[in-house]
Amino acid sequence: MPKKVDPQERRTRIADALMRVAAERGLEAVSLRHVAAEAGVSAGMVQHYFRTKDEMMVFALDVVRERGQVRVSRAVAELGENPEPRALLRTVISAILPRDEESRGDAKVGLAFLAYTAVRPEAAESLRKDVEEMIRYVQTLVPVPGGAEGLLAMMEGLGLYVIGGYYSLDQALKVLDAHLDLLFNAGP
Amino acid sequence: MPKKVDPQERRTRIADALMRVAAERGLEAVSLRHVAAEAGVSAGMVQHYFRTKDEMMVFALDVVRERGQVRVSRAVAELGENPEPRALLRTVISAILPRDEESRGDAKVGLAFLAYTAVRPEAAESLRKDVEEMIRYVQTLVPVPGGAEGLLAMMEGLGLYVIGGYYSLDQALKVLDAHLDLLFNAGP
DNA sequence: GGGTTGGCAATACGACTGCAATGCCATGAA
DNA sequence: TTCATGGCATTGCAGTCGTATTGCCAACCC
């Protein structure tokens, strides 16, 4: 067995290229050849690591999700032990909102994938699991009934608006804080 | 000058077909030939009314926006004169959320266009105007500072979740009502 | 050091794309 | 009736797509 490489590394390398293409030119510009060119490899190699385009897409989607989770975990870790629910929520949500160029790109790609899965429900499962998990998690932190779902919805919407350039990140955070005020003053 | 037809009617007819294709199979399945087939006309005719594909897309986007505005206007009209701000907001927002199959399709297409314009800022202008107008309008109705932006963001997020199938429309409306409770009890 | 095998490149193929060019045909003006 | 013209259909073209196939090449085992 000759030439050993790390397939996982190759795959994420390719997926990274995919995400750059998707963030800059949209998901519909994602083709084997474009991704290969962006990754600086041959189209044949892309095919070697992803037997089909859909396989590549699903993998890339997973990478986006994972990077998001890492961002959240890191932000939460910086918060120390036993943080207040409100501070925790703010940290989690502001870690999810598009902050720098990387997370902005990820958000764009995520949006594109959302539209993608809105029509291919079979590819939506991993997204679905994430969202439901998130809802349950936030529900344990929000003191107002029905408030968790609303807060998450608002988060998504704020993300949309930030991507679209309607709000800056600062404005979005102000709106978020105002809403947290509402939630945590109406509580006990 | 022979055979007079109504070009506007033809164009909206084609745009309708475009939207059916996009709602069922995604925006990337929108091609001149598919749209033509769906509309039951020849591909040449589509080309005759839209010199380029982008022209067709932009037109279709406008149709989606317009249909949304009509839905809102109708719902508001049914409300009678001088409605309470809260009732007005609830009516407007629940008219925007995906309700029946038509508005659900429109929402899917809108989502796809959002991803589309996230990468083609030049096509986003009409969307942008709509959003900003909406923000200003809602600001006149919400008694809490920063509450309008949050409410709209929440609306967008709820729309996403309903499209994605995470929430039913009823659940989304419950969440909306809970949030309106918060807003209008915290106010004066 | 020959043979085997994993890693990758190159090519070919059929389907599909957006778009331009061309042609037919019915109509209304002359 | 003739003919110019707007409305539309057809066809062709150059390019890109995803995928299957094939072949080369370097590396390891024996």
Side-chain angles (χ1 to χ4, degrees), chain B residues 32 46-47 49-58:
Chain B
L32 297 185
V46 175
Q47 262 193 111
Y49 285 104
F50 299 102
R51 291 206 316 240
T52 170
K53 187 190 172 180
D54 266 326
E55 200 179 308
M56 180 174 69
M57 299 287 250
V58 170

Side-chain angles (χ1 to χ4, degrees), chain B residues 1-3 5 10 33 42 44-45 48-49:
Chain B
M1 288 154 195
K3 247 204 264 194
V5 294
R10 297 282 203 215
R33 290 163 176 83
S42 82
M45 179 168 153
H48 185 248
Y49 285 104

Side-chain angles (χ1 to χ4, degrees), chain A residues 77-158:
Chain A
E78 283 180 9
L79 219 53
E81 310 248 323
N82 290 100
E84 297 278 322
R86 173 173 175 163
L88 185 52
L89 280 173
R90 191 190 194 275
T91 300
V92 167
I93 293 178
S94 74
I96 291 176
L97 290 178
R99 173 170 304 276
D100 45 31
E101 265 325 296
E102 186 196 82
S103 57
R104 199 184 186 83
D106 281 11
K108 275 193 206 171
V109 177
L111 173 60
F113 268 118
L114 213 64
Y116 184 79
T117 57
V119 157
R120 278 166 212 77
E122 76 278 5
E125 188 163 349
S126 67
L127 266 188
R128 163 170 264 96
K129 238 180 45 185
D130 254 32
V131 172
E132 286 168 357
E133 191 177 312
M134 188 75 176
I135 291 176
R136 277 197 305 274
Y137 174 60
V138 172
Q139 273 173 341
T140 67
L141 295 174
V142 174
V144 179
E149 293 86 346
L151 178 59
L152 282 175
M154 184 181 292
M155 177 192 76
E156 302 279 359
L158 287 175

Side-chain angles (χ1 to χ4, degrees), chain A residues 161-182:
Chain A
Y161 284 161
V162 171
I163 295 178
Y166 303 109
Y167 299 164
S168 69
L169 177 64
D170 277 357
Q171 289 176 290
L173 288 178
K174 281 211 186 74
V175 172
L176 172 63
D177 283 330
H179 183 55
L180 288 175
D181 281 345
L182 236 55

Side-chain angles (χ1 to χ4, degrees), chain B residues 35 46 60-61 64 74 77 86 112-113 119 121 124 144 146 162 166 172 179 183:
Chain B
V35 171
V46 175
L61 175 53
V64 177
R74 268 209 299 259
R86 172 175 175 159
F113 269 119
V119 158
V144 178
V162 171
Y166 303 109
H179 186 233
L183 282 181

